[in-house]
Amino acid sequence: MPLSRTLSMSSLPGLEDWEDEFDLENTVLFEVAWEVANKVGGIYTVLQTKAKVTGDEWGDNYYLVGPYTEQGVRTQVELLEPPTPALKRTLDSMNSKGCKVYFGRWLIEGGPLVVLLDVGASAWALERWKGELWDTCNIGVPWYDREANDAVLFGFLTTWFLGEFLAQNEEKPHVVAHFHEWLAGIGLCLCRARRLPVATIFTTHATLLGRYLCAGAVDFYNNLENFNVDKEAGERQIYHRYCMERAAAHCAHIFTTVSQITAIEAQHLLKRKPDIVTPNGLNVKKFSAMHEFQNLHAQSKARIQEFVRGHFYGHLDFNLDKTLYFFIAGRYEFSNKGADVFLEALARLNYLLRVNGSEQTVVAFFIMPARTNNFNVETLKGQAVRKQLWDTANTVKEKFGRKLYESLLVGSLPDMNKMLDKEDFTMMKRAIFATQVIFHPEFLSSTSPLLPVDYEEFVRGCHLGVFPSYYEPWGYTPAECTVMGIPSISTNLSGFGCFMEEHIADPSAYGIYILDRRFRSLDDSCSQLTSFLYSFCQQSRRQRIIQRNRTERLSDLLDWKYLGRYYMSARHMALAKAFPEHFTYEPHEADAWEGPGASCRALPHPHLLTLGLCPHPRNADPGLPLQEAAKARRNIRAPEWPRRASCASSTSGSKRGSVDTAPSSSISTPSEPLSPASSLGEERN
C-alpha cells in the first residue's frame, strides 16, 4: 500500500499568512492533554516545546488544560489568580460544587497559562458519569481499569469547565478545543454530545491498537486492511479504550495525526482519514550551539571516554582515539524500538570489522530503563577505581614534579632512579589490580553515580544514533540527534524517517540514514543496517566532522517556527467547520512544478534558504565548496501542492472527510541509499 501525500507534506510556504485572514481577538484556544505539566511520555515534549510558538500566536487567549498532580504543581507550576473575570467565575463555580480546579502558569519557555483539574477530588461522581457515558456514547468502562476511569473523570471535568466558561462569558467567544490522545478524548465526545459551541480537534500521536498489535509480533503494515479491529481490541482487553479513541476521532471537527505513516494506520484502525498531518517539532533554539557544537561534541565525548575507562578497567585493550560510540534510547519495547535488529546488526558488524582487520572499535549504548532494585555494589567499583587511579596519578605527578624542580634548582640533572621511591611504586601497584564491569540501568542523569551526564550531553558526545524502530509514529530521538548535529539511522516506518525522505532528496548525504523496514524482510533490513554501520566506521575523522556540519544544517526543518503552522492550519480548519458564518478556510494554491528542469517559481521551503539549498546560487551558503553547493541544489525535492479546498460551510449531513489533496504517484520500493563514505567522498578529496 503506497504512502500518499497529505496537506502537511507540501512546501511550508503553501500555508497562507493566517494573520491577515483570521481575527483571533474574540477566539480562545484550549489545548487539552493528560501530559500538561505531567511528564509521562512524548506528548509532554510536544506540548512543552510548542507552547511558545502557540503563545506567540494566541497571546493570553491560549490555555492548557491538564490533570492536577502534586509533584507537577510543586516543581513546574506557579499558581496564580485567574486574569479575567469570566475565568475566575468559572473556577469559583466549579470549586463551589465539589470540584478542585487550579490555575497557574507553567514554568517553561513561553510561560503558558494552565488550568489543572483534580480528578481524584471528583471520584465521588465516577459511577454516575460512567453511567452517563454509557447512555450517551454506549461506551462501558470496567471498574478495574484505573487509567480509563481517570480518563472518564478528566473528560467530564473538561467538558464541565468548557461549558461553564462559555456560560460565564457575556461576549460568547469562539472556542477551539484541541484534544490530544484517547485519555483526553472523552471530553471531546461530550462536547459534541452536549452540543457545546466549540470547534474541536483530535490528535492521535499513536493509535492504541497499533501499539498493541506491533508489540505482539504481527505483520502489522502488510495486514492493516485485514484486521478485525473490534476482535483484536477485545482480545487484548482494551476494547473500551479503543472505543474512546475511535469515538473521539469521529466526533472531532478536525482529526489530525503526527506523521504520514500513522495517518495510514489511523485510517484503517480508527476508520477515519486524518484531515491534516501535524508533524512534531522541537525548540531548536534550546539546542542551538552555532559553531560551538563541534567543540561540545569533543567535550561530551571526553566524558563518555572517562566512563569507558572505568567500565573496561583492567581489559581496556583498544584505542579510545579509534573508538566510535553508537546508541539507542527509548522505552524498553524490544521489538517496537528495533533493539532486536540493532543487536543482530552489531553482531554482523563485529564480524566484518574483525575479518577486514579494522582498527576501529564500536561501543554501543542501550539507554532503555528496565526494572531494577538498586545499583549492584560491584558495578560501582570500576568508576571508583578509575577515580582512584586518576587521583594516584596526580599525587605521583606532583611528587615527581617537586623533586625535578628541586634538582634543577641546584644546577644538576635529576637521577631518574631516585625520582620515584618505593612508596610511590606501592601506591601505583595497589591502584592497578582491580577489574569491574558497569551496566547503566536507567535514563541518563547528571546525578548518576555511573555515567554522570545528562541525556543531551550524552547525545552530543556520541557519533551515531541508531533507531531501527518497527513502530514509531514520530520519533523524537533522531530529531534531537539532528538538531545537535549527530547523524542518525531511522526507518521508513517512523514518522521522522518518512518526513525526512519527503523533504530531502538524499537524506544519507546529510547524516540521516533511512532503513527500509517496510518493503524488505527482517534479514534484509539487518543487512542494510549492518551496511550503514560498517560504512560509517570506514569514515575518516575529517569526514565525520563534515557530516556533522551537514546534519546540523537541517535543524531549521524541525523547528516549531515552521512546523507549528500545521497546527495553525488545523485550528483554522476547525473554526471554519464549526463557525462557517464567521470563518472560511481556503489553502493556498501555487504554480505546479513542471519537472526536474523547471525553475523554482514557487517559494522555496524556508529551510532551503537557511541551508543554502535553494536552486539560485545567490542563496547558497558562501562557506560551502562549489561542488557541495551544486550537490545540495540537486537535493531539492519538487513540492506537490494541494488542490484548492474550502471549509467555508458544513452541514450535519455532509460526509466527514479530509481536505482534498493533489494526487501523487505511489512511492516505489526504496533503493539502497548512498553509504556515508561514498556520499562524502567529494569532501574528503
Side-chain angles (χ1 to χ4, degrees):
M1 179 174 47
L3 300 177
S4 60
R5 289 179 189 268
T6 62
L7 175 59
S8 73
M9 290 300 137
S10 62
S11 187
L12 287 173
L15 301 178
E16 298 191 16
D17 187 359
W18 300 108
E19 294 179 2
D20 295 337
E21 295 190 21
F22 278 79
D23 181 10
L24 301 177
E25 183 177 354
N26 194 36
T27 309
V28 182
L29 170 63
F30 292 99
E31 198 155 6
V32 185
W34 187 258
E35 298 194 24
V36 173
N38 178 35
K39 189 171 185 178
V40 177
I43 302 174
Y44 176 91
T45 304
V46 175
L47 299 172
Q48 182 191 43
T49 55
K50 185 172 64 70
K52 186 180 187 306
V53 171
T54 310
D56 289 344
E57 178 192 358
W58 290 80
D60 292 336
N61 289 339
Y62 172 50
Y63 302 93
L64 287 154
V65 181
Y68 171 86
T69 61
E70 185 176 350
Q71 175 68 17
V73 170
R74 187 167 61 246
T75 59
Q76 303 182 58
V77 176
E78 177 189 5
L79 295 178
L80 303 170
E81 285 294 318
T84 64
L87 190 59
K88 188 177 189 311
R89 289 194 299 268
T90 300
L91 268 60
D92 290 342
S93 174
M94 293 184 67
N95 286 326
S96 67
K97 296 175 183 177
C99 299
K100 287 188 178 179
V101 186
Y102 301 85
F103 183 84
R105 188 176 298 279
W106 193 1
L107 301 177
I108 58 175
E109 186 174 5
L113 300 173
V114 293
V115 177
L116 302 177
L117 309 170
D118 191 340
V119 296
S122 302
W124 52 269
L126 177 61
E127 294 304 320
R128 176 164 61 87
W129 285 346
K130 286 168 69 174
E132 183 179 341
L133 181 64
W134 172 257
D135 294 336
T136 306
C137 306
N138 289 332
I139 298 176
V141 180
W143 62 271
Y144 56 80
D145 191 342
R146 180 173 180 178
E147 196 171 14
N149 288 332
D150 286 344
V152 172
L153 292 169
F154 184 54
F156 272 85
L157 287 171
T158 300
T159 308
W160 187 352
F161 169 77
L162 292 174
E164 193 71 34
F165 177 80
L166 287 166
Q168 297 292 346
N169 267 279
E170 298 177 356
E171 297 183 355
K172 305 301 179 188
H174 299 111
V175 172
V176 181
H178 190 158
F179 298 83
H180 293 266
E181 282 295 313
W182 71 274
L183 281 164
I186 291 295
L188 188 153
C189 297
L190 293 172
C191 284
R192 298 306 304 277
R194 296 179 180 180
R195 301 185 182 278
L196 295 182
V198 175
T200 57
I201 305 170
F202 181 67
T203 296
T204 179
H205 297 257
T207 68
L208 268 171
L209 186 55
R211 190 178 294 280
Y212 274 83
L213 287 171
C214 287
V218 301
D219 188 4
F220 181 67
Y221 291 99
N222 288 326
N223 290 287
L224 273 174
E225 299 176 350
N226 304 322
F227 286 121
N228 183 334
V229 291
D230 295 314
K231 176 177 177 291
E232 297 290 350
E235 288 179 348
R236 288 159 178 79
Q237 299 184 24
I238 59 166
Y239 186 68
H240 55 288
R241 297 186 180 192
Y242 168 74
C243 289
M244 293 180 187
E245 183 179 41
R246 182 167 171 176
H250 282 267
C251 288
H253 288 105
I254 298 298
F255 175 43
T256 83
T257 189
V258 298
S259 65
Q260 194 178 13
I261 192 72
T262 312
I264 295 174
E265 175 188 339
Q267 183 177 356
H268 287 92
L269 299 186
L270 300 180
K271 308 302 180 183
R272 179 179 177 185
K273 182 179 179 181
D275 298 287
I276 183 172
V277 172
T278 50
N280 289 334
L282 282 166
N283 183 359
V284 172
K285 183 179 178 182
K286 170 189 172 185
F287 300 98
S288 177
M290 300 302 288
H291 302 294
E292 282 295 308
F293 80 95
Q294 293 283 9
N295 293 334
L296 292 176
H297 167 73
Q299 295 168 12
S300 300
K301 185 176 71 172
R303 298 287 300 275
I304 296 176
Q305 286 179 333
E306 288 302 306
F307 166 79
V308 169
R309 288 188 177 97
H311 186 79
F312 294 101
Y313 165 71
H315 47 91
L316 187 63
D317 55 354
F318 52 89
N319 186 352
L320 288 179
D321 290 334
K322 295 182 179 180
T323 299
L324 299 176
Y325 302 112
F326 300 167
F327 81 99
I328 182 174
R331 288 186 302 272
Y332 192 61
E333 297 177 4
F334 196 69
S335 298
N336 281 1
K337 295 299 183 183
D340 51 348
V341 177
F342 188 25
L343 279 173
E344 175 63 26
L346 285 173
R348 299 183 186 186
L349 175 65
N350 181 66
Y351 173 78
L352 286 176
L353 292 176
R354 291 193 176 192
V355 167
N356 292 284
S358 175
E359 296 181 354
Q360 291 283 6
T361 300
V362 173
V363 176
F365 292 87
F366 283 71
I367 310 298
M368 292 181 166
R371 182 174 298 177
T372 56
N373 294 325
N374 51 36
F375 290 114
N376 191 315
V377 174
E378 295 299 317
T379 65
L380 300 172
K381 287 185 177 178
Q383 297 301 326
V385 169
R386 179 196 61 78
K387 187 176 185 305
Q388 182 184 1
L389 286 172
W390 179 257
D391 294 340
T392 299
N394 281 331
T395 301
V396 174
K397 180 180 69 174
E398 290 177 3
K399 293 179 65 177
F400 185 96
R402 191 182 311 114
K403 291 180 179 180
L404 177 63
Y405 173 67
E406 292 174 352
S407 177
L408 293 175
L409 279 179
V410 298
S412 62
L413 292 176
D415 183 354
M416 300 305 297
N417 293 326
K418 297 180 180 180
M419 294 302 292
L420 296 177
D421 53 30
K422 186 177 180 180
E423 181 182 350
D424 296 329
F425 280 102
T426 301
M427 184 188 305
M428 288 187 289
K429 288 179 180 179
R430 188 181 298 121
I432 286 175
F433 299 121
T435 58
Q436 303 296 334
V437 176
I438 296 175
F439 169 72
H440 197 284
E442 299 177 339
F443 277 135
L444 296 171
S445 169
S446 58
T447 60
S448 170
L450 298 179
L451 182 53
V453 294
D454 290 325
Y455 179 74
E456 180 182 339
E457 184 179 2
F458 173 79
V459 172
R460 288 191 184 277
C462 289
H463 295 92
L464 180 69
V466 184
F467 314 103
S469 303
Y470 183 74
Y471 185 79
E472 190 71 78
W474 175 247
Y476 260 122
T477 41
E480 289 168 340
C481 286
T482 302
V483 300
M484 287 187 272
I486 301 301
S488 65
I489 297 175
S490 186
T491 76
N492 58 356
L493 291 181
S494 73
F496 174 84
C498 291
F499 182 82
M500 284 307 200
E501 277 191 318
E502 184 76 19
H503 287 81
I504 307 297
D506 182 13
S508 62
Y510 294 87
I512 309 294
Y513 304 103
I514 310 299
L515 179 67
D516 182 8
R517 293 204 63 182
R518 183 172 175 82
F519 302 103
R520 294 181 182 229
S521 67
L522 183 61
D523 185 69
D524 288 344
S525 295
C526 285
S527 298
Q528 186 186 25
L529 178 56
T530 305
S531 175
F532 286 160
L533 298 178
Y534 183 68
S535 57
F536 189 88
C537 291
Q538 290 180 305
Q539 291 187 69
S540 66
R541 182 173 180 272
R542 175 62 179 165
Q543 284 178 301
R544 293 196 300 270
I545 291 173
I546 292 173
Q547 188 178 57
R548 284 196 295 272
N549 283 327
R550 302 180 79 181
T551 302
E552 196 271 340
R553 290 193 197 111
L554 299 180
S555 296
D556 283 346
L557 178 59
L558 301 170
D559 199 335
W560 276 122
K561 181 170 55 176
Y562 301 129
L563 299 185
R565 301 188 71 185
Y566 297 138
Y567 277 86
M568 189 187 305
S569 178
R571 291 190 288 265
H572 297 155
M573 291 170 69
L575 283 168
K577 199 166 187 179
F579 309 109
E581 66 278 8
H582 295 96
F583 300 96
T584 57
Y585 172 78
E586 277 192 64
H588 180 73
E589 184 174 42
D591 292 336
W593 184 275
E594 295 182 356
S599 62
C600 188
R601 288 191 296 272
L603 288 176
H605 193 299
H607 90 280
L608 300 181
L609 298 177
T610 305
L611 308 179
L613 303 183
C614 184
H616 304 295
R618 66 177 179 272
N619 289 319
D621 184 348
L624 292 174
L626 292 178
Q627 66 270 28
E628 166 88 2
K631 181 179 176 66
R633 289 195 293 273
R634 292 196 299 272
N635 283 337
I636 295 177
R637 187 65 61 86
E640 292 190 11
W641 301 91
R643 298 196 198 106
R644 182 171 296 278
S646 175
C647 292
S649 63
S650 174
T651 62
S652 58
S654 64
K655 181 179 178 181
R656 188 190 309 277
S658 63
V659 175
D660 291 338
T661 57
S664 62
S665 59
S666 301
I667 295 180
S668 60
T669 303
S671 59
E672 186 83 26
L674 294 176
S675 69
S678 63
S679 63
L680 292 173
E682 61 191 30
E683 286 92 340
R684 187 175 185 179
N685 296 330

